[in-house]
Amino acid sequence: MEITNREVEEAYNKMMSRISGVFAGEQGFVNAQKYMKGLLSEAKRKNGWQIAENQGESTPYTLQQFIYRGVYSADELRDELRGYVSEELGEADGVLVTDDTGFIKQGEKSCGVQRQYTGTAGKTENCQLGVFLTYSSSKGHTPLDRRLYLPQKWTDDKVRRDEAGVPKEATFQTKPQMAYEMIREATAAGVPYMWVTGDCAYGDYDAMREWLENNGKCYVLCVSMKEYVKYDGTKVCVGGIVKGLSDDGWFEARCGDGSKGARIYDWQTLDLLNEVQHGKKHTMLFRRSKSDPTEIRAYICFAPVGTPAQKLVEIAGTRWTVETCFKESKGLVGLDQYEVRSYDSWYKHITFSLLALALITVLSAKSLDTKTLQQHNPASKTLDEFKRGRNLRV
């Protein structure tokens, strides 16, 4: 099915109509449309100056103030984003993926900034960290929620909190606690999903695993070698289990495509022999590198009895979709190109960026045409490349 220029405009107008009720006045909605169009434009950077220039504004001040001090709720915008993604990409077998990404910053004024490790740079940098929840189905994948990580040095510092506009009710939360909160809120909002996956920073958080089990959800979560699991009635260290794995129990399987082609690893499963809960049980899944057999990752799984090993491998591979989302949202819709410092303005810019990426994702999933959407998307990536990264038809 080819998608026409008119259909692109209709999809944009439909999304904007959906979020129009978030804004109290007409001018706020006009500014929202300009900001979205700027994020979706071919401007090389999506900062205030370039968005304003793209939209024919003589100065960036109106749109900057719209993000800084606009009277509307970023969380209400997020609710519309979550509903849009659920309706357009939702499937009963959908997967929620959680991870964090860094935003490199200068100075000490940006809310939550400090020297901390970020996988974005692969080292400790002066940065902000955002925790994200993405949605993945056979139709596509895109983020649907976000949280700004506030280090305890920030939550304990009243002066810095007040300067950055941090709400009084905001307390220190670890990144896994933030992810857990987003998953519970997505569930309460009716987001259709069956699985959750993430790396060991989130998989080691047993409160989240227990909640998923008690609420009838499944997961394939990476866990660290120091984590303990219940194996045949006894708590055992994951690292010890790995050392005792059989040499002849491995099988080769593909878990999706990466930038260099198919991701192929050796895998092994281990039945933990725990009791069955509502037709589901615990299993360990292990991934071994083809090039370095000493490089092994472990996953704890909670899935219906009889779930094929290949299905667990597939869900484990879905973890990489969040990295694709980070790369695309920063390259396509300016996720990291904001020039704001306050708590509220961070949430506003980030949510608009996620809305823009969601629109592109939905249009790409529906389109087999490689020309029309290129006229609406930034030139940093062709539509063919965008689709290949999401396993969509080209």
Side-chain angles (χ1 to χ4, degrees):
M1 179 186 75
E2 292 189 353
I3 190 165
T4 66
N5 216 25
R6 179 180 176 183
E7 287 173 319
V8 172
E9 295 300 328
E10 287 177 349
Y12 168 80
N13 290 333
K14 181 180 178 181
M15 171 177 274
M16 296 311 297
S17 177
R18 180 181 190 119
I19 69 173
S20 61
V22 173
F23 308 97
E26 182 179 350
Q27 188 58 49
F29 183 50
V30 169
N31 289 334
Q33 293 180 80
K34 289 182 177 181
Y35 205 76
M36 278 285 287
K37 286 181 178 178
L39 293 173
L40 290 163
S41 74
E42 295 186 6
K44 291 183 179 180
R45 286 189 60 79
K46 308 301 170 67
N47 57 34
W49 281 95
Q50 295 207 23
I51 288 177
E53 182 180 3
N54 178 270
Q55 293 302 300
E57 298 280 327
S58 58
T59 71
Y61 305 134
T62 297
L63 292 181
Q64 285 177 341
Q65 291 303 311
F66 172 68
I67 296 297
Y68 293 161
R69 297 186 177 89
V71 183
Y72 58 94
S73 168
D75 281 349
E76 288 182 16
L77 268 183
R78 183 275 320 277
D79 292 346
E80 296 300 336
L81 165 67
R82 194 163 52 195
Y84 176 76
V85 172
S86 296
E87 291 171 17
E88 298 291 344
L89 303 179
E91 292 177 340
D93 199 41
V95 185
L96 295 180
V97 190
T98 185
D99 201 2
D100 52 85
T101 189
F103 302 90
I104 308 301
K105 294 294 169 184
Q106 301 293 323
E108 300 179 350
K109 297 296 184 180
S110 297
C111 188
V113 72
Q114 72 170 18
R115 287 192 58 78
Q116 53 196 329
Y117 178 82
T118 169
T120 304
K123 59 182 178 179
T124 298
E125 289 280 3
N126 195 63
C127 67
Q128 295 168 296
L129 290 177
V131 181
F132 289 78
L133 186 68
T134 69
Y135 186 82
S136 179
S137 73
S138 66
K139 299 176 184 179
H141 46 269
T142 196
L144 48 69
D145 205 349
R146 69 289 176 266
R147 293 287 190 280
L148 175 62
Y149 173 69
L150 294 177
Q152 196 157 5
K153 287 183 178 179
W154 268 85
T155 57
D156 291 347
D157 190 330
K158 185 179 185 305
V159 173
R160 294 183 87 185
R161 285 176 64 110
D162 290 347
E163 287 178 349
V166 178
K168 291 181 180 179
E169 62 271 17
T171 59
F172 173 73
Q173 287 183 301
T174 65
K175 292 185 283 293
Q177 286 171 335
M178 288 180 163
Y180 177 29
E181 185 176 85
M182 288 190 286
I183 289 169
R184 286 183 297 167
E185 291 184 2
T187 306
V191 175
Y193 77 97
M194 179 53 66
W195 302 88
V196 172
T197 188
D199 68 19
C200 61
Y202 301 94
D204 282 359
Y205 190 45
D206 55 3
M208 184 172 74
R209 302 200 309 258
E210 182 179 355
W211 186 90
L212 291 168
E213 294 168 16
N214 291 337
N215 284 272
K217 300 300 183 181
C218 303
Y219 57 76
V220 179
L221 288 161
C222 189
V223 289
S224 67
M225 294 298 161
K226 64 181 181 181
E227 181 68 359
Y228 280 79
V229 297
K230 195 174 181 181
Y231 179 41
D232 200 15
T234 304
K235 281 197 171 184
V236 181
C237 181
V238 170
I241 295 176
V242 168
K243 291 179 181 178
L245 289 175
S246 170
D247 289 335
D248 57 5
W250 297 96
F251 62 93
E252 184 179 273
R254 172 179 172 271
C255 62
D257 294 324
S259 59
K260 298 180 181 179
R263 290 189 172 101
I264 299 175
Y265 295 92
D266 290 328
W267 303 82
Q268 187 169 161
T269 59
L270 177 67
D271 189 347
L272 292 178
L273 302 178
N274 289 341
E275 62 184 30
V276 174
Q277 297 175 235
H278 308 294
K280 302 180 180 70
K281 63 182 294 185
H282 293 89
T283 305
M284 290 293 295
L285 175 70
F286 303 94
R287 189 193 83 199
R288 186 176 70 180
S289 169
K290 301 290 288 185
S291 59
D292 181 3
T294 65
E295 184 183 310
I296 297 175
R297 296 286 183 271
Y299 301 80
I300 185 167
C301 313
F302 184 69
V305 174
T307 298
Q310 182 57 50
K311 180 65 175 180
L312 302 180
V313 169
E314 173 193 327
I315 301 301
T318 307
R319 153 72 181 81
W320 278 294
T321 60
V322 70
E323 295 180 0
T324 301
C325 289
F326 290 152
K327 181 178 179 181
E328 290 170 349
S329 57
K330 291 178 180 181
L332 290 168
V333 293
L335 185 77
D336 61 343
Q337 294 168 20
Y338 54 88
E339 298 171 325
V340 296
R341 291 178 173 177
S342 73
Y343 180 93
D344 193 45
S345 57
W346 184 91
Y347 275 94
K348 288 174 178 176
H349 170 83
I350 294 295
T351 309
F352 272 114
S353 292
L354 299 188
L355 280 162
L357 184 66
L359 177 62
I360 294 173
T361 300
V362 169
L363 286 169
S364 297
K366 292 180 177 179
S367 172
L368 301 181
D369 177 30
T370 61
K371 296 180 180 179
T372 304
L373 286 177
Q374 288 176 9
Q375 299 168 8
H376 293 262
N377 290 349
S380 57
K381 172 179 283 199
T382 69
L383 184 60
D384 279 356
E385 292 172 327
F386 184 87
K387 288 181 175 180
R388 288 192 188 100
R390 291 169 172 268
N391 295 322
L392 299 172
R393 286 185 59 187
V394 174

